[in-house]
């Protein structure tokens, strides 16, 4: 499957609760199943290559991550200087044919996340922005603390890598399914989009197998690919190409056109 990687965050209430170890377990488990992935590590404040926190990113690479990016207050380490770089800035550095990007930190992001906590109180603020895929840490062994939570979350016990990978793969499958047109037409040769998504997850077929996903126009809103029917694609494409014909110094037969609209922040 290409075109977009699944982004998953690993967050904790405090430092030294095992985020790096959990990232490594996820990376190693996915690598064993043949997935391509990279990692991102969030490092608070200013930092340099000599900082132990930056050097700690090498553990991500040792686990098998193909590309590792560290994000500090002023840098995307090994990439370029940038004022206040964000998680999305780092994500855009990864090739679109990656299957996963596993992020260490960024607890305020809106991406799905695993949360590492010791007790129920620590979940405050960690479960408000992104989908919680599961809880782990010392709380996994404390039934009395789990009973204090206002919601029921999947609980992953220490060293239960199999459950981690199953949750991650299920998320990927759901995202692939939502990316497909949902017509269940059978034109791809499979019974429905669900079966197509499962085969894409297992890398038994490519997205080109779906004739409705090989169109010449794609729309992305806030990082999410939006499916557009062939008829609507044709209208939009012809309108844009017609507009370009009125502009000077524009090729009459452009190979690729990119239009980006940045909404003003409130």
């Amino acid at each position: 499957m290409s075109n977009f990687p699944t982004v998953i965050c690993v967050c904790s209430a405090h430092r030294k609760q095992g985020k790096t170890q959990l990232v490594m377990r996820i990376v190693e488990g996915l690598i064993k199943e043949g997935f391509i992935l990279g990692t991102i590590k969030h490092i608070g404040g200013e930092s340099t290559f000599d900082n132990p926190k930056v050097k700690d990113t090498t553990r991500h690479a040792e686990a098998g991550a193909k590309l590792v990016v560290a994000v500090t207050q002023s840098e995307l380490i090994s990439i370029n200087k940038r004022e206040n770089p964000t998680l999305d800035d780092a994500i855009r550095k990864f090739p679109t044919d990656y299957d996963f990007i596993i992020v260490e930190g960024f607890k305020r992001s809106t991406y799905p996340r695993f949360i590492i906590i010791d007790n129920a109180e620590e979940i405050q603020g960690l479960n408000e922005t992104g989908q919680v895929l599961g809880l782990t840490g010392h709380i996994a062994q404390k039934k009395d603390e789990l009973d204090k939570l206002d919601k029921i979350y999947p609980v992953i016990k220490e060293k239960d890598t199999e459950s981690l990978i199953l949750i991650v793969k299920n998320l990927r499958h759901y995202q692939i399914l939502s990316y497909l047109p949902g017509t269940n037409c059978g034109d791809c040769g499979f019974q429905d989009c669900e079966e197509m998504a499962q085969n894409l997850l297992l890398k038994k077929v490519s997205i080109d197998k779906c004739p409705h996903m090989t169109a010449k126009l794609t729309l992305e809103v806030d990082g999410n690919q939006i499916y557009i029917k062939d008829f609507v694609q044709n209208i939009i494409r012809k309108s844009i190409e017609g507009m370009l014909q009125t502009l000077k110094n524009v090729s009459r037969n452009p190979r690729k056109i990119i239009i980006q609209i940045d909404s003003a922040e409130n």
Side-chain angles (χ1 to χ4, degrees):
M1 178 65 184
S2 59
N3 297 316
F4 71 95
T6 294
V7 180
I8 296 170
C9 290
V10 173
C11 307
S12 64
H14 307 292
R15 294 175 54 193
K16 297 185 178 180
Q17 284 188 302
K19 292 193 301 294
T20 299
Q21 290 181 342
L22 185 58
V23 167
M24 292 176 66
R25 285 168 54 199
I26 296 173
V27 170
E28 290 170 350
L30 291 172
I31 290 295
K32 287 180 180 178
E33 299 212 14
F35 291 104
I36 302 172
L37 59 91
T39 63
I40 297 172
K41 181 177 176 66
H42 188 206
I43 301 173
E46 295 288 344
S47 193
T48 66
F49 282 105
D50 295 328
N51 190 308
K53 294 181 183 178
V54 177
K55 291 183 177 180
D56 195 39
T57 59
T58 60
R59 297 176 64 188
H60 291 197
E62 290 168 357
K66 192 172 181 181
L67 174 62
V68 180
V69 175
V71 182
T72 74
Q73 184 174 323
S74 60
E75 298 171 318
L76 291 175
I77 297 297
S78 81
I79 298 177
N80 61 274
K81 289 278 189 178
R82 182 171 297 189
E83 186 69 23
N84 297 318
T86 66
L87 173 55
D88 287 331
D89 289 330
I91 289 172
R92 282 191 285 269
K93 297 298 180 181
F94 288 78
T96 56
D97 62 350
Y98 276 37
D99 299 303
F100 294 93
I101 299 175
I102 310 302
V103 182
E104 181 178 336
F106 285 100
K107 64 178 69 176
R108 294 183 179 85
S109 75
T110 58
Y111 291 100
R113 76 271 313 279
F114 290 102
I115 296 176
I116 306 172
I117 53 177
D118 294 336
N119 54 63
E121 185 178 353
E122 291 181 346
I123 200 172
Q124 298 300 319
L126 296 176
N127 62 341
E128 297 173 355
T129 53
Q131 175 190 358
V132 178
L133 300 175
L135 302 181
T136 187
H138 293 314
I139 194 172
Q141 313 296 332
K142 301 176 180 178
K143 185 178 183 304
D144 57 330
E145 290 295 328
L146 290 171
D147 290 340
K148 294 178 183 178
L149 297 171
D150 58 357
K151 294 181 181 179
I152 298 176
Y153 300 99
V155 177
I156 302 101
K157 295 184 178 180
E158 186 178 1
K159 298 183 180 180
D160 185 6
T161 303
E162 183 177 348
S163 294
L164 278 173
I165 301 307
L166 180 60
I167 292 172
V168 168
K169 287 171 62 179
N170 284 342
L171 173 66
R172 177 69 174 169
H173 176 264
Y174 172 78
Q175 290 183 342
I176 293 173
L177 183 60
S178 64
Y179 181 69
L180 294 174
T183 57
N184 296 320
C185 60
D187 292 345
C188 59
F190 294 108
Q191 182 176 350
D192 50 28
C193 291
E194 173 80 27
E195 187 178 358
M196 173 70 169
Q198 183 63 26
N199 279 273
L200 284 168
L201 174 68
L202 299 176
K203 298 188 174 184
K204 293 183 177 180
V205 296
S206 70
I207 192 64
D208 295 338
K209 185 75 172 175
C210 175
H212 303 287
M213 297 297 292
T214 56
K216 296 181 180 179
L217 186 143
T218 58
L219 173 65
E220 182 176 304
V221 179
D222 292 337
N224 297 314
Q225 290 275 358
I226 308 300
Y227 170 69
I228 309 175
K229 293 184 177 180
D230 296 346
F231 175 72
V232 179
Q233 287 189 41
N234 192 48
I235 293 176
I236 296 175
R237 182 169 58 84
K238 288 186 177 297
S239 298
I240 293 174
E241 290 175 345
M243 177 195 67
L244 292 178
Q245 297 300 313
T246 67
L247 303 178
K248 296 181 179 179
N249 302 320
V250 176
S251 171
R252 295 301 177 186
N253 296 293
R255 297 179 59 188
K256 186 175 184 179
I257 302 169
I258 298 177
I259 297 178
Q260 179 172 322
I261 301 176
D262 296 319
S263 300
E265 295 183 359
N266 295 328

